[in-house]
């Protein structure tokens, strides 16, 4: 190739790859498969390695990081980077609106640019003649740190802006953050390597950005959304923003997007202040399903003219407000640790906490999982601990504030015998969990086994809640699941708080539960690690209960999803005389299920396809949908992965839908599913 041909090719490849990046990261519309992108990138890096002098300033190959720095230099912001004031409820929000209107001396409605409050770090990106020349953290607002090398590794930040006629200087401001999926992967990897985990995506983003070695930053998968502008003007310091930019904050952001910087897709222009509350609520509802962390919304008066007349107080603008969500992390005191015995004898330490309002609910208990987790957290009774509750997720203890540890703090000591039945405890090799060896002689295990047996996805006994199971066991009316079917209305109605009506309801519920499916019955037995899916696979494979009961480990391993551990659990469950006695008594009481038809291969049109169900299906239960799909040969899995063929998304579908969309998995509505089932004559 001639020199000119090489220069041309490098330019073509650079432009092409930058266009693909823009389509992927900013427009969210990928146009080429990854493999094509990788091929062009390899060609470009090969040419650049051969001719280093010809590498362009905007080359996309620079996203891998360069030489490590000794220290960050300082950057003085040409326009200070401000902070935001907060409100936490509707009343405070209304007071803000009132102040704005008073200052603007207006009673007409005010348009707002409404944005999620991203939980990351503010940065300022300086483009000169369209080329990224400097990136800085906020620092104290006036002086930040020069993190240009690190910012250059963020894939969605362009090294060169798109478009012509750009002002000489254009500073874009926005948030660098770590998407939830990247944060989880990073921490999972740290756990595997025995390294320290980050407490939340914000800390992970901060830790990744403040690396002197930009190669580390490059490996961290950070993202960026623009939410404003800094200095816009010429190199002599003349501000040209009013000449070259629109008078609307929202339109300014769309302009920034057209220059190639990503903008958060949730940002909306609201025509009047009354729409702000609904925006806040809709973002709060969507919070868990969003692929990044947010801690509220930011509402900005949209008109730049109005912004100017409102001005600033101290370090925050009067024209913007962070309307924050209830905190998801709070401090409280670990008052005690108690030990609970579960269905399979697992002894779980449970933190008893001084009640604290976090993530919208009052939390007074949190599981501490096991000894390893306690060691990892390094907590003691009496410690001040951070509690986190995000969305519907169960509350967790994140860490202890060691500086606040009182002198009388106590170590958490695991019991040497079962706290319920006093049997010996054991910690099997390679397991993190301590177990009671009392089996079904342990009152706690009896109760949990019966609760599981009666639960909705198992035998679904209507009228038998957890409290009633505890009462029945405590009163010695039942010991095992089979005893349930011997209960009489009179026995039940003599229990405290039980009238004749509830007793009748229970007896009816028990009677109705006898008609079930083989899969549910297997699941209800509570064999260790045999969940719903495994139970259903066992039923499909063996077709009869007796075949499962007498199967060998080798035969069991042939079943989908059954490995040697689960197979051994099943064999040892049926090797125990006691368990067989209970099973026989259950069958004798009249529990029955329809026999499963064997479908031939050509009757299994969905064989080899994997489906995932999510959200609420309004026309049929999820269990029914699952059974229908399985009857056509489909695999129904609990989580979305690259192997998923279809996601059936009902109402209020959340993170599984987002993940499916990001993986390009085909999404079906409930109506699509029904049409499919009808087409195959199963409905
Ligand atoms: S605007 C002049 N918009 O919140 C106003 N900030 O508490 C400057 N943040 O330092 C900030 N999302 O790190 C703005 N949509 C958003 C934001 C946002 C997150 C952060 C930013 C800022 C902090 C202030």
């Amino acid at each position: 190739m001639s020199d000119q041909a090489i220069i041309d090719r490098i330019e073509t490849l650079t432009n092409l790859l930058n266009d693909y990046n823009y389509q992927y990261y900013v427009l969210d519309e990928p146009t080429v498969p990854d493999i094509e992108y990788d091929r062009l990138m390899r060609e470009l890096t090969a040419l650049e390695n051969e001719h280093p002098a010809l590498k362009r300033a905007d080359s996309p190959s620079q996203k891998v990081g360069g030489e490590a720095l000794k220290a960050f230099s300082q950057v003085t912001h040409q326009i200070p980077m401000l902070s935001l004031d907060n409100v936490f409820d509707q009343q405070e929000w209304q007071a803000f609106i009132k102040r704005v209107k008073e200052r603007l001396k207006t009673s007409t409605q005010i348009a707002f640019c409404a944005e999620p409050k991203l939980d990351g770090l503010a940065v300022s990106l300086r483009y000169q003649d369209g080329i990224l020349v400097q990136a800085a953290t906020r620092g104290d607002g006036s002086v930040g740190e020069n993190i240009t090398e690190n910012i250059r590794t963020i894939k969605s930040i362009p090294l060169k802006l798109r478009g012509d006629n750009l002002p000489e200087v254009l500073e874009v401001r926005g948030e660098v953050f770590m998407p939830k999926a990247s944060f989880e992967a990073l921490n999972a990897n740290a756990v595997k390597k025995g390294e320290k985990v980050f407490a939340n995506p914000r800390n992970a983003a901060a830790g990744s950005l403040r690396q002197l070695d930009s190669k580390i930053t490059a490996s961290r998968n950070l993202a960026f959304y623009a939410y404003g502008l800094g200095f816009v003007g010429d190199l002599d310091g003349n501000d040209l923003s009013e000449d070259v930019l629109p008078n609307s904050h929202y339109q300014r952001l769309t302009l920034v997007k057209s220059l190639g910087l990503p903008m958060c897709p949730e940002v909306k222009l609201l025509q009047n202040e009354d729409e702000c509350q609904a925006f806040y609520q809709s973002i709060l509802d969507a919070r868990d399903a969003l692929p990044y962390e947010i801690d509220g919304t930011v509402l900005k008066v949209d008109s730049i003219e109005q912004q100017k007349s409102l001005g600033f107080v101290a370090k925050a603008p009067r024209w913007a407000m962070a309307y924050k969500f209830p905190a998801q992390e709070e401090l409280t005191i670990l008052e005690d640790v108690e030990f609970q015995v579960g269905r399979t004898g697992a002894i779980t330490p449970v933190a008893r906490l001084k009640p604290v309002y976090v993530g919208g609910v009052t939390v007074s208990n949190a599981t501490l999982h096991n000894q390893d987790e306690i060691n990892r957290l390094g907590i003691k009774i009496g410690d001040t601990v951070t509690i986190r509750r995000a969305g519907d997720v169960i509350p967790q203890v994140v860490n202890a504030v060691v500086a606040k540890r009182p002198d009388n703090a106590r170590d958490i000591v695991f019991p040497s015998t079962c706290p319920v039945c006093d049997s010996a405890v054991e910690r099997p090799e390679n397991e993190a969990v301590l177990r009671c060896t009392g089996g079904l002689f342990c009152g706690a295990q009896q109760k949990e086994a019966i609760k599981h047996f009666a639960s909705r996805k198992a035998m679904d006994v209507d009228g038998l809640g957890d409290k009633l199971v505890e009462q029945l066991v405590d009163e010695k009316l039942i010991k095992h699941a089979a005893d349930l079917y011997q209960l009489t209305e009179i026995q039940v109605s003599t229990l405290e708080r039980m009238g004749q009506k509830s007793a009748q309801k229970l007896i009816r519920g028990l009677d109705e539960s006898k008609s079930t499916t083989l899969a549910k019955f297997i699941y209800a037995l509570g064999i260790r690690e045999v969940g719903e899916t495994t139970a259903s696979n066992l039923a499909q494979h063996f077709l009869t209960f007796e075949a499962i009961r007498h199967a060998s480990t080798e035969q069991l391993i042939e079943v989908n999803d059954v490995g040697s551990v689960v197979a051994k659990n099943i064999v040892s469950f049926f090797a125990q005389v006691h368990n067989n006695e209970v099973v026989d008594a259950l069958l004798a009481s009249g529990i029955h299920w329809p026999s499963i038809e064997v479908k031939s291969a050509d009757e299994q049109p969905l064989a080899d396809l994997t489906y995932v169900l999510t959200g609420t299906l309004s026309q049929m239960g999820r269990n029914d949908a699952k059974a229908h799909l399985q009857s056509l040969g489909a695999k129904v899995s609990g989580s979305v992965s690259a192997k998923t063929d279809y996601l059936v998304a009902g109402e209020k579908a959340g993170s599984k839908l987002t993940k499916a969309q990001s993986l390009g998995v085909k999404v079906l509505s409930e109506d699509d599913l029904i049409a499919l089932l009808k087409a195959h004559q199963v409905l």
Side-chain angles (χ1 to χ4, degrees):
M1 257 203 266
S2 70
D3 278 0
Q4 191 54 48
I6 294 166
I7 293 172
D8 290 350
R9 185 65 188 153
I10 288 183
E11 182 180 358
T12 309
L13 287 168
T14 301
N15 289 342
L16 204 54
L17 287 162
N18 282 339
D19 280 349
Y20 291 156
N21 275 341
Y22 172 69
Q23 284 146 5
Y24 184 90
Y25 289 110
V26 182
L27 303 182
D28 201 13
E29 286 165 3
T31 46
V32 285
D34 290 357
I35 194 154
E36 169 73 356
Y37 182 93
D38 294 343
R39 192 180 64 73
L40 296 173
M41 182 64 102
R42 272 198 304 277
E43 186 187 343
L44 176 63
T45 34
L47 283 175
E48 287 176 344
N49 288 341
E50 267 175 58
H51 312 278
L54 301 183
K55 184 167 173 162
R56 296 169 54 100
D58 59 340
S59 169
S61 68
Q62 301 180 48
K63 299 273 168 194
V64 289
E67 296 271 299
L69 302 175
K70 297 234 160 24
F72 294 116
S73 58
Q74 293 200 328
V75 171
T76 303
H77 300 297
Q78 196 163 348
I79 294 184
M81 289 184 76
L82 299 172
S83 175
L84 290 167
D85 273 341
N86 299 316
V87 293
F88 287 90
D89 58 37
Q90 203 165 353
Q91 223 178 352
E92 291 175 353
W93 167 250
Q94 293 299 349
F96 166 70
I97 291 290
K98 195 162 163 251
R99 287 199 301 276
V100 166
K101 288 192 151 182
E102 277 168 8
R103 279 207 165 251
L104 290 175
K105 298 196 178 59
T106 179
S107 55
T108 50
Q109 296 182 325
I110 296 171
F112 276 91
C113 182
E115 309 169 16
K117 188 165 194 301
L118 306 157
D119 210 0
L121 273 93
V123 296
S124 186
L125 313 177
R126 186 176 170 97
Y127 288 89
Q128 272 174 217
D129 293 322
I131 300 289
L132 177 69
V133 293
Q134 188 181 72
T137 59
R138 176 167 174 272
D140 64 4
S142 312
V143 180
E145 282 178 325
N146 185 336
I147 49 158
T148 315
E149 290 313 311
N150 293 344
I151 287 293
R152 292 166 76 88
T153 69
I154 299 179
K155 297 204 181 66
S156 58
I157 295 184
L159 301 175
K160 183 182 173 209
L161 296 179
R162 306 172 68 79
D164 316 308
N165 289 332
L166 296 165
E168 283 178 338
V169 181
L170 185 118
E171 286 183 356
V172 176
R173 289 180 174 174
E175 198 88 344
V176 168
F177 58 94
M178 186 175 285
K180 288 175 188 168
S182 312
F183 166 72
E184 274 153 27
L186 179 67
N187 267 358
N189 200 24
V191 168
K192 223 190 274 166
K193 291 190 185 154
E195 292 170 0
K196 207 175 141 259
V197 295
F198 288 105
N200 52 49
R202 188 188 134 81
N203 288 0
S208 304
L209 211 47
R210 294 202 70 262
Q211 290 285 342
L212 290 168
D213 182 354
S214 54
K215 289 205 171 62
I216 300 182
T217 316
S219 73
R220 292 289 172 82
N221 202 16
L222 295 171
F224 174 83
Y225 282 142
Y227 54 60
L229 287 163
F231 180 74
V232 177
D234 64 19
L235 282 166
D236 298 328
N238 296 310
D239 181 339
L240 299 172
S241 58
E242 290 194 14
D243 308 322
V244 297
L245 299 173
N247 178 40
S248 143
H249 179 79
Y250 180 79
Q251 281 175 22
R252 286 185 173 191
L253 292 188
T254 4
L255 174 80
V256 168
K257 180 174 170 183
S258 73
L259 298 180
L261 285 139
M263 165 180 168
C264 176
E266 307 304 322
V267 173
K268 280 206 171 66
L269 176 61
L270 308 180
Q271 292 309 329
N272 63 62
E273 64 267 17
D274 297 338
E275 291 175 31
C276 292
Q277 187 65 35
F279 176 82
Y280 167 88
Q281 193 56 49
S282 73
I283 296 290
L284 180 57
D285 292 344
R287 182 183 200 175
D288 290 337
L290 292 175
Y292 43 83
E293 287 267 356
I294 57 172
D295 59 353
T297 56
V298 183
L299 297 146
K300 301 173 181 170
V301 171
D302 188 61
S303 150
I304 305 294
E305 211 177 296
Q306 288 184 328
Q307 286 188 5
K308 291 223 160 94
S309 75
L310 285 162
F312 305 90
V313 262
K315 290 199 158 177
R318 284 205 195 88
W319 45 263
M321 188 54 88
Y323 190 170
K324 302 257 291 234
F325 298 147
Q328 290 189 316
E329 282 191 4
E330 285 294 351
L331 293 178
T332 190
I333 308 285
L334 175 62
E335 293 183 327
D336 202 358
V337 173
E338 286 174 14
F339 295 89
Q340 273 178 0
V341 186
R343 174 166 62 84
T344 58
I347 298 178
T348 311
V350 179
R352 301 289 179 219
L353 305 162
K354 181 162 179 238
V356 61
Y357 186 75
V358 53
V361 297
T362 301
V363 173
S364 42
N365 303 313
T367 173
L368 292 169
H369 302 287
N370 54 49
Q371 180 80 62
D372 293 352
E373 174 72 356
I374 289 177
N375 295 348
R376 187 182 75 76
L377 292 168
I379 50 173
K380 290 179 186 252
I381 296 168
D383 267 344
T384 297
V385 290
T386 310
I387 302 299
R388 179 171 173 79
R389 183 187 175 274
D392 292 337
V393 180
I394 55 165
Q396 60 187 119
V397 177
V398 181
N399 56 25
V401 185
V402 180
K404 291 194 175 185
R405 178 166 289 163
D407 291 341
N408 61 356
R410 288 183 285 133
D411 281 335
I412 299 166
V413 183
F414 273 64
S416 51
T417 59
C418 172
V420 175
C421 72
D422 220 23
S423 300
V425 295
E426 60 168 14
R427 181 170 172 176
E429 228 179 296
N430 300 329
E431 274 195 36
V433 176
L434 196 69
R435 283 182 198 280
C436 159
T437 56
L440 287 179
F441 295 103
C442 173
Q445 293 186 56
Q446 281 173 7
K447 286 179 186 169
E448 296 309 313
I450 297 169
K451 285 180 199 170
H452 172 79
F453 180 85
S455 63
R456 205 170 49 80
K457 289 177 180 167
M459 299 299 285
D460 194 14
V461 182
D462 204 19
L464 184 58
D466 288 358
K467 281 265 147 10
L468 183 50
V469 171
E470 290 183 12
Q471 247 180 314
L472 288 165
V473 175
D474 289 341
E475 295 297 322
K476 305 218 165 18
L477 287 178
I478 58 170
K479 239 176 146 174
H480 314 298
D483 299 337
L484 284 170
Y485 295 101
Q486 307 304 320
L487 285 172
T488 62
E489 201 181 302
I490 300 186
Q491 277 178 318
V492 179
S493 57
T494 55
L495 290 174
E496 218 176 293
R497 291 190 306 276
M498 280 297 278
Q500 198 191 356
K501 262 213 169 131
S502 341
Q504 272 171 355
K505 185 172 176 206
L506 173 63
I507 301 299
R508 200 171 341 116
L510 281 164
D511 218 39
E512 284 167 2
S513 76
K514 287 181 187 168
S515 166
T516 183
T517 65
L518 175 54
K520 287 187 173 194
F521 182 66
I522 295 287
Y523 173 66
L525 294 179
I527 305 168
R528 200 185 293 175
E529 288 176 58
V530 176
E532 261 186 298
T533 311
T534 308
S536 145
N537 291 345
L538 287 165
Q540 291 279 333
H541 183 95
F542 288 103
L543 307 172
T544 69
F545 179 71
E546 290 311 316
I548 299 171
R549 166 145 59 173
H550 297 113
S552 65
T553 319
E554 292 72 31
Q555 289 168 326
L556 287 162
I557 286 173
E558 283 172 25
V559 179
N560 219 345
D561 280 346
V562 174
S564 61
V565 174
V566 178
K568 271 191 206 132
N569 288 345
I570 299 169
V571 169
S572 63
F573 180 90
F574 289 116
Q576 287 188 35
V577 179
H578 163 83
N579 288 338
N580 282 302
E581 282 170 5
V582 174
V583 166
D584 287 336
L586 285 169
L587 297 175
S589 69
I591 290 176
H592 61 278
W593 49 83
S595 53
I596 299 172
E597 264 181 67
V598 195
K599 289 224 163 132
S600 62
D602 55 345
E603 281 180 301
Q604 299 207 328
L606 307 185
D608 300 330
L609 292 178
T610 303
Y611 284 73
V612 174
L613 304 170
T614 191
T616 320
L617 300 179
S618 54
Q619 300 166 64
M620 68 172 81
R622 258 211 238 177
N623 282 339
D624 289 343
K626 184 172 168 181
H628 287 317
L629 286 167
Q630 284 173 334
S631 77
L632 294 169
K635 255 176 78 176
V636 180
S637 157
S639 57
V640 176
S641 73
K643 291 194 188 130
T644 312
D645 294 292
Y646 292 96
L647 177 82
V648 179
E651 267 172 56
K652 297 216 176 119
S655 56
K656 284 186 192 166
L657 177 58
T658 325
K659 185 158 180 203
Q661 285 164 338
S662 74
L663 289 172
V665 170
K666 287 174 224 97
V667 178
L668 301 181
S669 67
E670 184 175 3
D671 287 344
D672 295 336
L673 173 68
I674 288 171
L676 174 79
L677 296 175
K678 282 193 174 149
H680 290 297
Q681 276 124 39
V682 285
L683 268 192

